[in-house]
Amino acid sequence: MLENTNQISCWPDDGLHGRHVAYTNKKQITPENVADVVGKAMVIHMRNVAETEYLYGYYRGRQDIRLKEKVVRPEINNKVMVNRANEIVTFKTAYLLGEPLQYVSNGGDDTVSAKVNRLNEFMRSESKDTKDKEIADWMHICGVGVRMVLPDEEGEEDGSPVCIYTLDPRDAFVIYCSGVGHKPLAGVLRQWDEDGKPYQCVYTRKWYFEIAGGEIKKQEARTIPYIPIIEYPNNDARMGAFEVVLPLLNAINTVESNRVDSIQDFVNAFDVFQNCEIDKNAYKSLSSGGMAVEIKGQPGMEAKVYRIASELNQTNTQTLVDDLYDTALTICGMPNRNGGSSTSDTGTAVIYRDGFAEAESRAKDTEKTFIRSEREFLRIVLYICRNTADLDLQLSDIKPEFTRKNLSNVQSKVQVLCEMLNNSKIHPKLAFQTCGVFGDSEEAYRISQEFYEEQQAALTRSLREEVNTNI
């Protein structure tokens, strides 16, 4: 992991515009060209590392306000940091993955549903919901998260045949073909040996390489024909959630810092003695809390003692801060606080007024890019499961599903569920999937179906016993 405390001073003059993608003109990566391809890709990656380090530091509180300079009275130079970047990332991740990502059956029969449930159990064994949260954090901080999936080694079986890792995007990336489709050709993971020297672990569909100093140090054939490193971009530009509003966040910090400077300037205002003299001992007495001071004026000239004091208009300044903050929230697609303390609006009106509808639309937009990468992850997982866990599932059998706001408008959702269940032309599984009541609709349908069958069996037994008694 890179740690560059001076990275904030290396902020590019033209700002940040998303992370760059490592492309190569090669159609495939072979032992003959891997060192050259990885060497060129590392140049692009190191630029991304510098930008990611800056954004990660900004998220943690190492922001541009630290470099604030003050020409007049430089001894009064407060540097107030309002960490809105952390607020944006935390909200975006919590809203996107407030409930764990679930896999549901994509219209298959009960046999497929049972297999999907087993896959979900594998993911729970790997704490995938926590690792999804880590991926989402990196996506919203620097624009891209990186995941790695490998089969369990012998003796490490823990209820799941796979191992899932969240990688630091400063240490891992994917190389893509520059041709049509931009197919991934290799995944690269930077590591360090016992002497602290860096080397690159390179995974292709056929080979595993270790490269140090531009030379191949290790080469092995791979048994899994997939690249185990997958990138999760936040959007096509690979920009973080707060990256687009960095100038606004810096302006908020500057205004807040100047407000504190103004207050301190007012408290520590200069004393002016006009047309009069005062000795040092008397002034020290006044400065230390003396109640009065005797001054000597000049004949024919009015003697005055006063302070040079001015203060920012706090009302106007607060209006500016509120405008900057509201603009940042609007651009990021986050809810605002326009509702105030109490209004007559309820339900859907509040959702639209306070910006939750915009937050939902942004989350759905992020879902599309997340699911695209998630399907690449599933290809590898399903291949491993078919060969080691006797779980025969195809990618077309599974649909990743995000679940959010399960408790909003519950009454309406339950009414929809009941209406669909009462319609003989609608399969009950569709009712469970589309009503939005259940976080895991597949599991809810399975449990409900088992309960229904148990109740039907109990009713049948009761009727038989009643008939036998009457006979």
Side-chain angles (χ1 to χ4, degrees):
M1 178 182 298
L2 292 181
E3 193 65 36
N4 185 357
T5 56
N6 296 322
Q7 187 61 52
I8 195 169
S9 62
C10 299
W11 166 253
D13 294 335
D14 61 345
L16 297 180
H17 306 286
R19 312 291 75 74
H20 294 267
V21 182
Y23 288 117
T24 179
N25 292 329
K26 305 295 184 182
K27 300 301 180 183
Q28 58 181 352
I29 295 179
T30 63
E32 291 74 25
N33 63 20
V34 61
D36 180 60
V37 171
V38 172
K40 293 178 179 178
M42 285 299 297
V43 176
I44 299 173
H45 175 65
M46 293 311 298
R47 177 176 177 179
N48 290 337
V49 168
E51 296 177 352
T52 300
E53 185 68 23
Y54 170 82
L55 292 169
Y56 185 52
Y58 201 99
Y59 161 76
R60 293 190 300 168
R62 198 169 66 235
Q63 301 185 1
D64 293 15
I65 193 63
R66 297 188 309 138
L67 304 179
K68 174 175 170 274
E69 295 181 357
K70 194 165 181 283
V71 178
V72 180
R73 302 192 74 180
E75 70 278 5
I76 299 178
N77 187 14
N78 294 281
K79 300 171 182 178
V80 179
M81 188 274 299
V82 183
N83 200 342
R84 298 295 186 186
N86 189 289
E87 174 192 1
I88 293 171
V89 170
T90 301
F91 173 83
K92 289 284 189 179
T93 299
Y95 193 82
L96 179 68
L97 294 169
E99 295 291 336
L101 176 68
Q102 297 289 336
Y103 300 139
V104 299
S105 173
N106 193 18
D109 55 21
D110 291 342
T111 303
V112 174
S113 297
K115 294 179 180 179
V116 173
N117 288 331
R118 189 181 175 195
L119 177 63
N120 281 322
E121 292 173 1
F122 288 162
M123 297 300 101
R124 281 190 286 270
S125 298
E126 288 295 314
S127 299
K128 183 175 178 291
D129 54 343
T130 303
K131 294 169 184 178
D132 284 343
K133 187 264 182 189
E134 296 171 353
I135 289 288
D137 276 343
W138 279 118
M139 288 169 54
H140 294 132
I141 292 170
C142 65
V144 61
V146 186
R147 170 172 285 164
M148 186 175 189
V149 55
L150 294 171
D152 276 338
E153 296 184 3
E154 293 185 7
E156 294 186 358
E157 292 79 4
D158 54 359
S160 171
V162 298
C163 289
I164 304 173
Y165 305 95
T166 301
L167 303 181
D168 191 323
R170 293 169 292 184
D171 296 330
F173 65 100
V174 176
I175 302 175
Y176 298 88
C177 177
S178 59
V180 177
H182 301 313
K183 295 181 179 180
L185 297 181
V188 182
L189 175 62
R190 288 198 304 161
Q191 297 283 276
W192 285 262
D193 61 20
E194 295 179 354
D195 297 326
K197 296 180 180 180
Y199 65 95
Q200 293 85 40
C201 302
V202 183
Y203 296 85
T204 70
R205 294 179 181 273
K206 296 181 178 180
W207 300 99
Y208 167 75
F209 304 97
E210 290 183 4
I211 299 176
E215 297 181 356
I216 299 175
K217 301 298 183 180
K218 184 178 181 180
Q219 176 179 330
E220 295 178 350
R222 299 192 62 239
T223 57
I224 300 178
Y226 294 101
I227 299 170
I229 297 177
I230 307 104
E231 290 184 330
Y232 284 70
N234 187 42
N235 45 56
D236 288 341
R238 298 191 171 206
M239 297 183 70
F242 62 86
E243 187 174 339
V244 70
V245 293
L246 277 172
L248 295 176
L249 303 185
N250 287 329
I252 291 174
N253 287 341
T254 300
V255 173
E256 295 289 3
S257 299
N258 289 337
R259 292 174 76 172
V260 179
D261 286 347
S262 174
I263 295 172
Q264 193 170 350
D265 278 332
F266 180 79
V267 174
N268 299 324
F270 289 110
D271 294 316
V272 177
F273 296 85
Q274 180 177 338
N275 299 326
C276 58
E277 297 178 358
I278 182 173
D279 58 44
K280 294 182 178 179
N281 292 330
Y283 184 73
K284 288 181 180 179
S285 176
L286 177 64
S287 301
S288 61
M291 299 302 294
V293 63
E294 181 181 353
I295 61 174
K296 297 179 180 180
Q298 299 294 330
M301 302 179 69
E302 182 182 5
K304 293 183 180 180
V305 178
Y306 59 92
R307 285 193 151 191
I308 299 178
S310 61
E311 190 176 8
L312 287 176
N313 187 312
Q314 294 295 330
T315 302
N316 293 341
T317 304
Q318 187 60 46
T319 301
L320 174 60
V321 171
D322 291 342
D323 179 67
L324 291 171
Y325 182 49
D326 288 343
T327 302
L329 293 181
T330 301
I331 294 173
C332 292
M334 288 178 57
N336 51 46
R337 304 294 186 271
N338 292 339
S341 58
S342 177
T343 68
S344 60
D345 296 341
T346 59
T348 305
V350 174
I351 292 175
Y352 279 93
R353 182 200 64 208
D354 288 352
F356 277 95
E358 181 67 15
E360 178 68 15
S361 66
R362 297 296 183 89
K364 287 185 177 296
D365 182 66
T366 305
E367 282 181 17
K368 296 179 176 62
T369 55
F370 194 100
I371 290 178
R372 180 176 60 189
S373 299
E374 189 73 7
R375 290 189 177 279
E376 296 302 318
F377 162 77
L378 278 173
R379 290 182 198 276
I380 306 173
V381 171
L382 295 180
Y383 180 88
I384 296 173
C385 289
R386 283 194 295 268
N387 288 275
T388 62
D390 192 26
L391 180 61
D392 187 15
L393 269 175
Q394 301 299 321
L395 187 60
S396 58
D397 296 331
I398 305 171
K399 181 175 69 173
E401 187 172 277
F402 288 83
T403 54
R404 288 189 302 274
K405 300 197 306 178
N406 290 329
L407 298 180
S408 62
N409 298 326
V410 172
Q411 184 176 5
S412 299
K413 293 178 179 179
V414 171
Q415 289 175 349
V416 171
L417 175 63
C418 293
E419 290 292 333
M420 295 181 73
L421 289 175
N422 290 330
N423 192 326
S424 60
K425 296 182 179 179
I426 298 178
H427 194 285
K429 184 180 292 187
L430 295 177
F432 278 80
Q433 290 177 354
T434 58
C435 69
V437 176
F438 308 103
D440 186 350
S441 60
E442 196 72 31
E443 182 70 8
Y445 171 75
R446 185 185 64 81
I447 295 174
S448 300
Q449 185 67 19
E450 290 178 356
F451 176 76
Y452 174 76
E453 292 173 356
E454 290 173 1
Q455 295 300 310
Q456 291 295 108
L459 179 60
T460 302
R461 287 195 302 270
S462 177
L463 291 175
R464 288 177 179 174
E465 291 174 359
E466 183 178 353
V467 170
N468 293 334
T469 302
N470 293 334
I471 293 175

